[in-house]
Amino acid sequence: MKYACLAPIIRKTNIAKGIWDMEILCPDAAREAVPGQFVDILAEGYTLRRPISICGIDRDKGTLRIVFEVRGKGTAVIAQKEVGSSLDIIAPLGHGFDLLDTDKRAVIIGGGIGTPPMVPLAQHYGANASVIFGFRDARAVILKEDIERTGADMILCTDDGTAGRKGFVTDALDEVLKALRPDIIYACGPMVMLRRIAERAAKDDIRCQISLEERMACGVGACLGCACVTKQDDKTVYKHVCKNGPVFDAKEVVFA
Amino acid sequence: MSATSVTFAGIDFKNPIVPASGTFGYGHEYEELYPLSRLGGISVKGTTGKLRPGNLPPRIAETPSGMLNSVGLQNPGIDAFIRDELPYLKTKDTVVIANIAGSDENEYREIAEKLDATDVDMIEVNISCPNVKAGGAAFGVSCEGAAQITRIVRSVTSKPVMMKLSPNVTSIADIAKACEAEGADAVSLINTLLGMRIDIRTRRPILHNNVGGLSGPAVFPVAVRMVWQVANAVKIPVCGMGGVSTWEDAVEMMLAGASLIQVGAAIFTDPLAPVKIIEGLEEYTKRENISLTDIVGKVQPW
């Protein structure tokens, strides 16, 4: 079930340059949301809503947490909204991550602004998770404390080594996989990163789910705009990021 | 008859608001937000003879006050529509308009024949899709092509036939007249305007198809003008669409000559747009103490 509503902003924080953290009150959507789903937000004055992944679900408070980057004028309009005003949202949307039992071992990988949807996964698996997250540099690092609080093993990477270790998340993944064999790998981030992770998971025959993005119109699966190339029984099939995804099994995704 | 009901091409609509083909799927996705029975009708996703996979992504680009799409008629084909979607839609107490497209005359004929044997209420014939290579818009840009497809569909069905016209032509009124002369029961317009956006960093078009169809508020004045021209050129009813986002837009389109209205891109901005437009029209007719049929074509040109 999805809901269209005006969700009051009850907390808003600027957590890095151009990156905003908001908690919005939407009890119906919060009750049904699962990790990996997204919220489609109206940017007043723009035709198309902005899909933003869910970074936190608090069913008791009836809130969803969203962390997003100002990428253009539309996200800037959303970022300018103040506490007390409301976001016009449709949520929860999309097909989220498959969650295994909490005693299973998960490797959770976030690249840059792909990190927010990984936080609820880290909370689910807690100490049985290894979280690898990477950023350009120390100033771009977000959600470190949130991930620390989950009790997961944590490897922070930056391209320039100004925070955590220097290098890419894919290097850290290679290292983690030498030490353990997870039941599942989850990843969200740039396509080149996802491609490398998908290849690595396939090589070791480890289940892998990745969260994709694509230019989107309706957000609910009606317009067929946000196509993603997948393969099914060796046939190419266009699935849709907003409804079949954003989370896909890595082995079905055809990387361009 | 309520103040918002209209009769269009012999079919009764409880109100004139119909989600436009391609923006509403087969209704499932929006049914969670409001009952489909609230709508005058639904023009369902364009259907071809066989499954069509659609175009490579990206298929969507935002534009000032609008958007481009190049979905390319992705659909499961007419047999799947009739088997999997139509029976369910027919239980929803709303007018079901099938929307069909073909790459040649035979495909149009085959689909229309199949639909004639169903209980679909009306057939909208897309001769104006800008996003497929063969057929589609090719038929809609000449009077001969439009007439030919109208004739073929007319010859195989007794259902009301509504020809969906392309705005990418020199004289849309002449194309409408050509459809009328071959027995079309109605025309709908406008399909999208052909457009293009380029990413200045990559120097690549944003759409993988390079070009796509422009819709949204940006096209509204063009649509009003074309509806007005067509309504003045033909006697058959006109279904107006193109950038309608508010009840005021719907009234404006009706004054221009439309007796039925399709709402498309506005649904992406606000999925509740069709219902809000219907509510606005209900209040308008009450306030003005009129029926919507009273205002069709009642613009008083200078």
Side-chain angles (χ1 to χ4, degrees):
Chain A
M1 191 75 181
K2 53 181 150 319
Y3 301 90
C5 68
L6 289 175
I9 301 168
I10 60 173
R11 182 179 58 75
K12 175 188 174 185
T13 321
N14 183 206
I15 57 171
K17 186 165 181 249
I19 297 184
W20 295 86
D21 179 351
M22 288 183 183
E23 193 173 355
I24 57 174
L25 184 63
C26 45
D28 288 329
R31 192 178 58 244
E32 299 198 22
V34 297
Q37 289 188 300
F38 68 96
V39 180
D40 215 10
I41 307 174
L42 178 73
E44 278 92 352
Y46 292 85
T47 298
L48 300 180
R49 288 170 178 261
R50 270 48 179 177
I52 307 286
S53 64
I54 292 172
C55 176
I57 303 162
D58 189 329
R59 291 196 176 86
D60 297 334
K61 278 169 75 185
T63 60
L64 292 176
R65 180 185 184 194
I66 51 171
V67 170
F68 64 97
E69 182 176 23
V70 173
R71 289 265 186 94
K73 292 171 187 163
T75 39
V77 167
I78 297 168
Q80 279 157 16
K81 298 277 230 167
E82 296 300 339
V83 170
S85 66
S86 293
L87 298 183
D88 180 328
I89 66 163
I90 318 171
L93 298 180
H95 172 85
F97 293 107
D98 290 344
L99 299 178
L100 309 183
D101 291 340
T102 53
D103 61 353
K104 300 288 185 191
R105 186 84 219 173
V107 174
I108 300 167
I109 309 164
I113 199 61
T115 304
M118 313 321 275
V119 173
L121 285 177
Q123 286 163 344
H124 176 79
Y125 291 99
N128 286 318
S130 299
V131 178
I132 305 168
F133 59 141
F135 301 88
R136 232 176 16 256
D137 55 37
R139 283 173 306 172
V141 175
I142 53 170
L143 302 169
K144 184 166 172 250
E145 292 75 21
D146 293 274
I147 291 166
E148 270 168 353
R149 270 200 295 276
T150 67
D153 283 340
M154 187 174 87
I155 302 175
L156 170 63
C157 310
T158 51
D159 297 353
D160 65 358
T162 49
R165 62 171 71 174
K166 184 173 181 334
F168 296 125
V169 294
T170 42
D171 303 328
L173 174 65
D174 291 338
E175 187 180 309
V176 168
L177 292 184
K178 272 180 207 148
L180 62 91
R181 184 185 165 82
D183 297 292
I184 191 162
I185 296 172
Y186 300 101
C188 182
M191 278 307 260
V192 297
M193 175 193 116
L194 295 181
R195 179 187 197 132
R196 281 219 41 207
I197 292 167
E199 286 166 357
R200 180 64 216 259
K203 184 171 143 247
D204 288 12
D205 197 25
I206 299 167
R207 189 167 175 212
C208 179
Q209 288 199 313
I210 56 179
S211 180
L212 303 183
E213 60 178 2
E214 182 50 64
R215 289 170 182 271
M216 206 175 269
C218 74
V220 296
C223 78
L224 312 185
C226 55
C228 150
V229 188
T230 69
K231 54 179 181 291
Q232 263 181 335
D233 308 325
D234 289 331
K235 275 194 299 201
T236 298
V237 177
Y238 290 117
K239 289 196 171 180
H240 298 283
V241 171
C242 73
K243 188 175 187 177
N244 309 116
V247 176
F248 292 89
D249 275 321
K251 62 176 189 289
E252 71 174 318
V253 174
V254 177
F255 290 90
Chain B
M1 295 291 277
S2 76
T4 54
S5 63
V6 295
T7 302
F8 182 91
I11 306 286
D12 294 327
F13 291 74
K14 65 184 81 168
N15 63 63
I17 301 303
V18 175
S21 179
T23 65
F24 207 71
Y26 304 104
H28 303 291
E29 291 78 13
Y30 292 102
E31 203 174 7
E32 291 179 20
L33 300 176
Y34 44 85
L36 301 181
S37 61
R38 196 75 182 91
L39 304 167
I42 299 173
S43 178
V44 301
K45 174 68 188 172
T47 304
T48 49
K50 297 270 183 311
L51 176 150
R52 273 190 78 102
N55 291 331
L56 274 167
R59 298 176 173 182
I60 301 289
E62 195 168 44
T63 66
S65 295
M67 58 176 287
L68 295 172
N69 90 81
S70 59
V71 170
L73 285 174
Q74 176 170 6
N75 81 95
I78 186 64
D79 294 338
F81 168 68
I82 292 171
R83 186 185 64 233
D84 303 335
E85 302 292 348
L86 186 56
Y88 181 76
L89 276 168
K90 283 300 291 179
T91 67
K92 294 296 164 180
D93 185 26
T94 191
V95 175
V96 180
I97 304 173
N99 179 291
I100 69 171
S103 39
D104 58 31
E105 294 90 334
N106 288 334
E107 191 174 359
Y108 280 100
R109 180 185 292 112
E110 179 203 334
I111 307 168
E113 270 174 355
K114 287 181 174 175
L115 283 170
D116 188 62
T118 70
D119 53 0
V120 76
D121 296 300
M122 186 182 283
I123 302 175
E124 180 175 47
V125 184
N126 182 357
I127 50 169
S128 45
C129 178
N131 293 322
V132 294
K133 290 208 162 50
F139 294 110
V141 295
S142 73
C143 291
E144 296 74 21
Q148 181 188 9
I149 300 302
T150 309
R151 192 182 316 128
I152 286 166
V153 174
R154 177 77 289 160
S155 72
V156 296
T157 183
S158 53
K159 305 266 186 205
V161 170
M162 173 161 74
M163 304 302 290
K164 184 168 178 179
L165 306 184
S166 171
N168 304 306
V169 295
T170 309
S171 172
I172 195 166
D174 287 338
I175 308 242
K177 283 197 274 191
C179 296
E180 180 181 42
E182 294 296 340
D185 298 287
V187 287
S188 57
L189 60 136
I190 57 176
N191 205 324
T192 53
L193 287 144
L194 200 59
M196 183 176 191
R197 294 300 306 269
I198 297 167
D199 183 326
I200 61 168
R201 286 163 299 139
T202 62
R203 301 189 176 185
R204 288 274 203 183
I206 292 175
L207 299 176
H208 200 279
N209 193 48
N210 296 320
V211 297
L214 178 66
S215 61
V219 310
F220 180 66
V222 178
V224 171
R225 183 265 293 179
M226 289 190 165
V227 164
W228 181 62
Q229 290 177 325
V230 167
N232 281 301
V234 297
K235 293 190 179 64
I236 53 176
V238 177
C239 172
M241 74 185 99
V244 174
S245 310
T246 64
W247 71 265
E248 291 95 330
D249 294 342
V251 168
E252 191 172 334
M253 197 69 106
M254 295 187 93
L255 287 169
S259 41
L260 194 69
I261 302 289
Q262 290 188 26
V263 176
I267 294 169
F268 303 152
T269 312
D270 181 0
L272 299 173
V275 173
K276 289 178 181 171
I277 293 170
I278 292 164
E279 287 168 355
L281 291 174
E282 286 167 349
E283 285 162 26
Y284 168 71
T285 52
K286 198 177 291 176
R287 198 166 53 243
E288 304 279 327
N289 194 26
I290 53 168
S291 290
L292 283 180
T293 49
D294 298 339
I295 66 168
V296 174
K298 291 298 166 61
V299 59
Q300 295 178 284
W302 298 103

